[in-house]
Amino acid sequence: MAQLMSDFAAQELFYWDPDTKTWAAVPDGGLSLSGRDAQLIYVTREFFQDEPRSGAIVVKTGRKIDTSEKDPEPARKKIKLDRAKQAEFDSCRGREPSSFDGRVSALEYDRYHDYGYDASDNEDGRSLGEFHTRYVSRSGRCDAATDSTTFDAPLRWDWRSNRSQFSFDPSVVSGGFHSQIMAGLSIRGAAAVGSVGLADQRVDIIKYRTNAQKMACIALRVKPTGKNFFIRVNDLEGAPKGGRLIRADELSRQLTR
């Protein structure tokens, strides 16, 4: 696996090819699965720290709605949330449950992750609170919550945050929250952004720890639900090779069948 990664790749996605019995990188242009499930491995490589470190990834899957389908209202559309129990990484868990499996409305999800609104005082809001978890960051502290609104840079030239990385809107992932002021001027526009035009959305949080080779290989199993299916991975502690520590970009791939 290590030999497959390019010299400068900090994060990469591989799939198991049952025909050749080998692992191969998922092409930038996507992958045709011929109707089968995808057995994937997300690999993160650490360029800055010699000692093993911990982190967490956000895995978002779904599909673009076909033109012949009707897009449900945001309050009625549901997004699946899943966080499996990982006992070896529970030192930072706090009071939240060791695992979570539930659904929230796209309305609540997008308000929280696209605009930075507080979670509502309802079942959806409580589910978001239980889903999000703390993890050991690259600093070794439990101070990097996955719902953090801390900006990436002290001078605020980079408005991205951990919470924004959960958005289904690529512009929020790359540039930070949308304006709450503008949201207040357009209620329908604020109802949902990242989830508009999407279906079968699912979000997983998976914690990891790098090994002695400064890598972590995280197994993923994805079941595409139709054409225009995608997988997006956000490494909350990942940093690309370069002159300074910056947040890694979102890895996005199409998985068609």
Side-chain angles (χ1 to χ4, degrees):
M1 183 66 67
Q3 288 74 23
L4 291 175
M5 293 193 70
S6 62
D7 292 338
F8 290 91
Q11 294 81 30
E12 200 154 349
L13 191 65
F14 297 88
Y15 74 100
W16 176 254
D17 189 332
D19 296 327
T20 62
K21 307 298 183 184
T22 58
W23 290 98
V26 177
D28 292 348
L31 176 67
S32 178
L33 298 170
S34 302
R36 63 178 182 266
D37 294 358
Q39 187 177 349
L40 308 171
I41 289 182
Y42 174 80
V43 179
T44 183
R45 192 194 319 192
E46 174 59 35
F47 291 111
F48 299 93
Q49 296 183 197
D50 292 329
E51 295 298 319
R53 66 160 180 82
S54 297
I57 62 171
V58 182
V59 182
K60 296 172 287 188
T61 56
R63 65 178 177 85
K64 293 183 179 179
I65 292 177
D66 189 81
T67 54
S68 62
E69 296 180 79
K70 182 179 180 181
D71 193 358
E73 289 294 323
R76 300 179 62 183
K77 184 190 297 189
K78 294 295 183 179
I79 298 177
K80 178 78 166 60
L81 306 180
D82 189 88
R83 176 169 52 80
K85 182 177 181 179
Q86 294 179 276
E88 68 273 31
F89 300 120
D90 274 354
S91 61
C92 289
R93 182 165 56 86
R95 294 184 178 181
E96 75 262 9
S98 59
S99 63
F100 181 83
D101 181 2
R103 296 176 183 273
V104 298
S105 69
L107 173 64
E108 183 69 21
Y109 188 92
D110 290 347
R111 279 175 53 85
Y112 188 73
H113 296 103
D114 289 6
Y115 293 93
Y117 283 109
D118 292 337
S120 300
D121 185 17
N122 56 25
E123 184 177 352
D124 277 351
R126 289 186 287 274
S127 292
L128 280 175
E130 293 177 357
F131 171 63
H132 282 291
T133 183
R134 297 196 303 162
Y135 64 93
V136 180
S137 67
R138 65 169 52 247
S139 67
R141 300 191 302 266
C142 297
D143 59 353
T146 53
D147 63 345
S148 172
T149 55
T150 303
F151 298 119
D152 277 0
L155 297 179
R156 296 189 177 184
W157 60 270
D158 189 340
W159 296 87
R160 294 177 295 178
S161 65
N162 276 354
R163 196 198 296 191
S164 69
Q165 301 304 289
F166 285 77
S167 174
F168 279 90
D169 185 341
S171 69
V172 173
V173 171
S174 62
F177 297 140
H178 290 301
S179 168
Q180 291 185 5
I181 296 176
M182 293 303 295
L185 298 177
S186 177
I187 300 301
R188 287 188 61 84
V193 174
S195 297
V196 169
L198 300 182
D200 303 330
Q201 293 164 263
R202 176 187 173 114
V203 185
D204 291 76
I205 298 175
I206 306 174
K207 303 176 186 179
Y208 68 82
R209 185 168 177 80
T210 59
N211 58 21
Q213 288 72 45
K214 302 198 293 185
M215 299 174 66
C217 299
I218 305 166
L220 307 173
R221 187 174 291 275
V222 176
K223 185 174 184 178
T225 57
K227 64 180 182 180
N228 298 320
F229 188 87
F230 60 83
I231 179 171
R232 302 173 186 169
V233 183
N234 302 79
D235 194 339
L236 299 181
E237 294 297 303
K241 190 173 184 179
R244 59 174 177 265
L245 285 175
I246 57 175
R247 185 183 292 273
D249 292 332
E250 179 176 75
L251 186 153
S252 179
R253 298 288 186 268
Q254 293 292 123
L255 303 176
T256 61
R257 71 171 179 87

